[in-house]
């Protein structure tokens, strides 16, 4: 059995902890007050290596077995009830957030954080679209590009308007019965299903209430989240199901309203915990939820993730 990435991350952090004193360990995660060239060089090298490795690996594992073609676009905006587009917004936002925070950690000014950091997600996902465009099996998607730009714009606009992130895209996931019907497309393992099975994904816009009502006594970490999901999708389009001789399932959109927590608003003096909370703030916490769908109307869920 392969080790969970979270377990590997935990072991890596333990290694760091044993290598530094508690003070040095905390200072390592603390953003620099001024430009730290050593940190900046490390960030640039790390970004370059990670992005290049990811693109090379993606090309070998995903595209190498399919024939190439001239660059072309496709219109896939009606597929998967737009769940894939929500995923692009989410990914572009958080890759940009991590890029901006990495430059902040290096001591770069806000302009550099937004120009060279927050655009990392859009640049990386655009490169993936170029791969798609040269693949005969797929094609570049204008809808994906717009969603990528939307995710980046959501981060940058809030920094320019409020100098903080008040509205954060988040993700939650639960396994579904559909993956077993088409594992080559929807995933044959839990790790694959998280990325491929749109039926199990829910994308949220999590709004920090205190940020909009500064004088209130609301907890600074309390969020209200609006979610979007979909169900019954065995293929991108409904007509494809009949062509594949798969069991029919009614496709429908689902909408949610729930409470959430902004982990970055939890007060702590630990620079490590602030970094940890910033990374995992992309995940929606389980909470009581109101679900609205066409087949079941309004439904109360005491615990939803």
């Amino acid at each position: 059995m392969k080790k969970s990435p979270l377990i590997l991350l935990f072991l890596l952090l333990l290694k760091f902890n044993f290598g530094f004193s508690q003070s040095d360990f905390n200072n390592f995660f603390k953003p620099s007050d001024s430009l730290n060239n050593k940190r900046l060089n490390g960030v640039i090298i790390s970004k370059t290596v990670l992005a290049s490795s990811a693109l090379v690996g993606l090309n070998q594992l995903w595209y190498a077995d399919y024939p190439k073609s001239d660059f072309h676009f496709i219109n896939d905006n009606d597929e998967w009830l737009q769940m894939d587009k929500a995923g692009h917004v989410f990914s572009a936002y958080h890759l940009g957030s991590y890029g901006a925070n990495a430059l902040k950690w290096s001591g770069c000014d806000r302009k550099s954080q937004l120009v060279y950091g927050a655009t990392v997600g859009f640049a990386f996902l655009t490169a993936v679209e170029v791969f798609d465009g040269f693949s005969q099996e797929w094609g570049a998607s204008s809808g994906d590009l717009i969603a990528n730009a939307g995710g980046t714009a959501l981060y940058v606009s809030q920094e320019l308007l409020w100098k903080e992130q008040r509205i954060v895209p988040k993700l939650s996931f639960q396994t579904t019965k559909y993956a077993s019907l088409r594992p080559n497309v929807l995933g044959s393992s839990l790790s694959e299903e998280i990325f491929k099975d749109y039926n199990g994904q829910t994308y949220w816009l999590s709004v920090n209430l205190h940020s909009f009502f500064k004088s209130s006594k609301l907890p600074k970490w309390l969020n209200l989240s609006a979610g979007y999901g979909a169900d019954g999708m065995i293929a991108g389009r409904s007509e494809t199901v009949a062509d594949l001789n798969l069991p029919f399932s009614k496709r429908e959109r689902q909408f949610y309203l729930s409470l959430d927590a902004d982990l970055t608003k939890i007060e702590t003096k630990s620079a490590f915990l602030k970094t940890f909370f910033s990374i995992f703030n992309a995940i929606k916490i389980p909470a009581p939820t109101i679900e609205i769908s066409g087949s079941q109307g309004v439904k109360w869920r005491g615990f939803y993730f």
Side-chain angles (χ1 to χ4, degrees), residues 263-281:
L263 301 182
T264 65
K265 296 297 193 294
I266 298 176
E267 296 184 2
T268 176
K269 294 181 179 180
S270 170
F272 163 70
L273 285 179
K274 288 181 180 179
T275 302
F276 180 88
F277 290 152
S278 176
I279 293 173
F280 286 93
N281 199 46

Side-chain angles (χ1 to χ4, degrees), residues 87-114:
H88 277 268
V89 172
F90 171 87
S91 299
Y93 175 95
H94 284 287
L95 286 173
S97 173
Y98 299 150
N101 283 324
L103 291 185
K104 180 180 180 181
W105 175 76
S106 303
C108 291
D109 57 68
R110 286 189 71 252
K111 181 179 179 180
S112 297
Q113 293 171 33
L114 296 181

Side-chain angles (χ1 to χ4, degrees), residues 71-92 122 125-126 128-130 132-133 139-152 198 237:
F71 186 83
H72 64 287
F73 279 90
I74 60 169
N75 184 353
D76 63 349
N77 294 330
D78 61 341
E79 292 188 3
W80 303 110
L81 295 179
Q82 294 78 52
M83 284 294 293
D84 58 325
K85 303 300 180 271
H88 277 268
V89 172
F90 171 87
S91 299
F122 179 79
L125 293 172
T126 297
V128 175
E129 287 301 317
V130 172
D132 280 347
S141 166
S142 58
D144 288 352
L145 290 171
I146 292 171
N148 297 340
T152 301
Y198 294 119
R237 295 182 174 93

Side-chain angles (χ1 to χ4, degrees), residues 161-173:
L161 183 61
W162 299 314
K163 296 183 179 180
E164 64 177 349
Q165 296 298 302
R166 298 184 180 184
I167 305 171
V168 178
K170 295 196 177 189
L171 170 69
S172 62
F173 177 82

Side-chain angles (χ1 to χ4, degrees), residues 21-38:
S21 68
Q22 184 173 354
S23 176
D24 289 339
F25 179 71
N26 191 61
N27 287 334
F28 175 81
F29 288 96
K30 185 178 180 180
S32 178
D33 295 329
S34 58
L35 182 62
N36 185 317
N37 287 317
K38 184 177 180 180

Side-chain angles (χ1 to χ4, degrees), residues 69-278:
S69 70
D70 292 335
F71 186 83
H72 64 287
F73 279 90
I74 60 169
N75 184 353
D76 63 349
N77 294 330
D78 61 341
E79 292 188 3
W80 303 110
L81 295 179
Q82 294 78 52
M83 284 294 293
D84 58 325
K85 303 300 180 271
H88 277 268
V89 172
F90 171 87
S91 299
Y93 175 95
H94 284 287
L95 286 173
S97 173
Y98 299 150
N101 283 324
L103 291 185
K104 180 180 180 181
W105 175 76
S106 303
C108 291
D109 57 68
R110 286 189 71 252
K111 181 179 179 180
S112 297
Q113 293 171 33
L114 296 181
V115 174
Y116 302 111
T119 56
V120 165
F122 179 79
F124 177 79
L125 293 172
T126 297
V128 175
E129 287 301 317
V130 172
F131 282 174
D132 280 347
F134 282 108
S135 174
Q136 185 174 313
E137 184 75 9
W138 295 281
S141 166
S142 58
D144 288 352
L145 290 171
I146 292 171
N148 297 340
T152 301
L154 179 60
Y155 181 88
V156 173
S157 62
Q158 292 186 80
E159 288 296 319
L160 294 175
L161 183 61
W162 299 314
K163 296 183 179 180
E164 64 177 349
Q165 296 298 302
R166 298 184 180 184
I167 305 171
V168 178
K170 295 196 177 189
L171 170 69
S172 62
F173 177 82
Q174 53 188 321
T175 57
T176 73
K177 61 184 179 182
Y178 302 105
S180 61
L181 298 175
R182 205 178 178 200
N184 60 315
V185 173
L186 301 180
S188 58
S189 65
L190 178 59
S191 59
E192 288 187 357
E193 289 177 35
I194 291 174
F195 290 100
K196 294 183 176 182
D197 187 1
Y198 294 119
N199 300 282
Q201 298 173 359
T202 303
Y203 289 100
W204 306 80
L205 285 179
S206 192
V207 181
N208 183 255
L209 299 177
H210 187 272
S211 295
F212 287 99
F213 305 99
K214 298 286 189 180
S215 60
S216 71
K217 295 183 179 180
L218 291 168
K220 292 183 179 180
W221 50 264
L222 181 62
N223 278 24
L224 183 65
S225 288
Y228 173 65
D231 190 66
M233 300 179 296
I234 305 176
R237 295 182 174 93
S238 57
E239 57 268 23
T240 308
V241 176
D243 296 339
L244 295 171
N245 196 28
L246 292 171
F248 174 78
S249 183
K250 183 180 179 181
R251 299 155 61 93
E252 66 174 4
R253 305 177 191 275
Q254 299 163 325
F255 302 92
Y256 303 90
L257 188 65
S258 180
L259 296 176
D260 188 29
D262 186 338
L263 301 182
T264 65
K265 296 297 193 294
I266 298 176
E267 296 184 2
T268 176
K269 294 181 179 180
S270 170
F272 163 70
L273 285 179
K274 288 181 180 179
T275 302
F276 180 88
F277 290 152
S278 176

